[in-house]
Amino acid sequence: MRIILAPMEGVVDYEMRDVLTRIGGFDRCVTEFVRVTDQLMPAKVFLRFAPELERGGVTPSGVPVYLQLLGGSLRYMGLNAARAQKLSPPGIDINFGCPSKTVNKSDGGSVLLREPSRVGDIVASVRQAVDPAIPVTAKIRLGFSNPDFLSEVVERIVDAGADEVCIHARTREDGYKPPAYWSVVKAVAARTPIPVIINGEIWSVADALKAREESGCTDIMLGRGALTYPDLALQVKAMDQQAPKAELSWAEVLEMMLVYLHRSENAHPRFVSNRSKQWLVFLQRHYPGAADLFQRIKRLKEADQVFAEITAYLKALH
C-alpha cells in the first residue's frame, strides 16, 4: 500500500510537506496546483510551488514530490509540462478535481469532467510533451454533478497514457460535504489497468481501511485528515504491517507546529498568525487542546506574539 499526501491549495506548501513527511508514512507528495492559462511560464514559477526541484525533487526526508498543473488549454498544458520537465520532477500530476468556482469559470479543474474527451486530450498533450520516464498522473472527482461520466473519464485518461489516476470520491457539487462515496469507485478500479488511488473523507485508520475495502483500491491519498492527525499515514502503515505505533502526543504536535511556523516565518513572515490558526482549526478534530489554544491566539496578529503564546502553552503542558 502507498499513501500520498494530497495537494491542498494554500495549505500543503513546501514547509507543510517537509514537516508531515518527516513524521513518516508518506510515499509521495503532490504540489499545490500551478495554474496554466495561455502563457509559457518561467522555471521560477515551478520552483516557487516546488522548491524541492532544486534538491532532486524530494522533500528533505526523501519523499518524491510531483508537480501539479491545472488548465484547459491543450497547447499550453503541453508546453508548460515540457518546460517543467527540464527541472526533472519525479512526476507531473494534472488537476481535474478542483471544485473552486473561480477556477471552474476559468476552464480548469472539475468543470472539465463534463467533457471526457477533453480530459483525455489534455492528459495526452502532457504525456506527449514529457520524457516517457517521467510519470504522468491525474486527479479527478466522481464527476461534476453526478458520476455518469466516471467510467469514460477514467478510460480516456488510461488511453491517453497516464500512469495512475486518483479519484476523490465526491462530485464537484458535493464539494467537501460528507460522506465520500468510496463504493462508487469499485467497479471502475476493478477494470482499470493502471493504479487507482482513493481519496476523500479519510480521517482515521478505520476510515483508511474502509475506503480501501469499499473502493477496491490498494493506495490512498490523505488531505485534510493528515492535517488533523499528522501521523495518520504512519499509523495506517503500522496497522497494515500489524506493527502498532504510539500516536504523537499533543505536546509533540505542538513542538512540530513551532518548527513549522518558524520555517514559515522565514518564507512568509507575515503569515505566521494565519497559518497557526489555520492548522489549529484542523487539529481540533483529533486534539481537543487545539480548541483552547486557538482561543488564546485567535486575536493575535504578530508572529512574536503567536510564538510566545504557543511556547508558554507548551511549557505548561510539560
Side-chain angles (χ1 to χ4, degrees), residues 132-186:
I134 297 177
V136 170
T137 60
K139 188 169 190 291
I140 67 172
R141 284 177 171 253
L142 297 178
F144 189 83
S145 54
N146 59 63
D148 291 355
F149 293 141
L150 178 61
S151 292
E152 184 179 357
V153 166
V154 173
E155 287 171 7
R156 298 274 188 169
I157 289 170
V158 171
D159 291 345
D163 295 275
E164 296 176 1
V165 59
C166 176
I167 304 177
H168 183 133
R170 284 182 274 228
T171 66
R172 185 267 181 194
E173 290 189 358
D174 291 329
Y176 294 99
K177 299 189 300 289
Y181 302 96
W182 301 317
S183 61
V184 175
V185 175
K186 191 162 192 172

Side-chain angles (χ1 to χ4, degrees), residues 7-9 33 68 70 95-114 139-145 168 170-177 199 224:
M8 295 178 65
E9 187 184 13
F33 65 77
Q68 188 179 77
L70 177 152
N95 182 323
F96 296 111
C98 180
S100 163
K101 290 182 179 179
T102 300
V103 170
N104 290 174
K105 286 178 180 178
S106 300
D107 197 36
S110 56
V111 71
L112 295 167
L113 297 174
R114 290 171 163 174
K139 188 169 190 291
I140 67 172
R141 284 177 171 253
L142 297 178
F144 189 83
S145 54
H168 183 133
R170 284 182 274 228
T171 66
R172 185 267 181 194
E173 290 189 358
D174 291 329
Y176 294 99
K177 299 189 300 289
N199 172 231
R224 294 175 297 163

Side-chain angles (χ1 to χ4, degrees), residues 85 127 130-136 163:
Q85 79 160 337
R127 176 69 281 171
V130 303
D131 190 299
I134 297 177
V136 170
D163 295 275

Side-chain angles (χ1 to χ4, degrees), residues 173-223:
E173 290 189 358
D174 291 329
Y176 294 99
K177 299 189 300 289
Y181 302 96
W182 301 317
S183 61
V184 175
V185 175
K186 191 162 192 172
V188 172
R191 61 175 177 267
T192 300
I194 61 175
V196 178
I197 301 155
I198 192 67
N199 172 231
E201 211 63 19
I202 301 175
W203 300 97
S204 65
V205 173
D207 288 340
L209 299 178
K210 190 175 181 183
R212 291 176 66 196
E213 179 183 1
E214 291 191 7
S215 68
C217 299
T218 300
D219 304 324
I220 65 174
M221 177 177 278
L222 300 178

Side-chain angles (χ1 to χ4, degrees), residues 227-288:
L227 297 165
T228 295
Y229 185 171
D231 57 334
L232 176 55
L234 193 64
Q235 295 299 331
V236 173
K237 283 282 181 74
M239 180 65 72
D240 194 58
Q241 297 163 4
Q242 299 184 337
K245 290 183 177 293
E247 289 189 4
L248 288 174
S249 68
W250 174 222
E252 288 173 318
V253 171
L254 279 184
E255 289 168 355
M256 183 177 66
M257 174 180 277
L258 282 173
V259 171
Y260 165 72
L261 292 175
H262 280 296
R263 290 176 181 160
S264 294
E265 184 181 30
N266 293 335
H268 319 282
R270 294 177 295 174
F271 299 155
V272 167
S273 175
N274 290 338
R275 286 166 187 262
S276 60
K277 295 166 193 173
Q278 180 186 58
W279 201 3
L280 284 170
V281 169
F282 282 110
L283 288 168
Q284 289 178 40
R285 185 175 181 125
H286 195 68
Y287 295 96

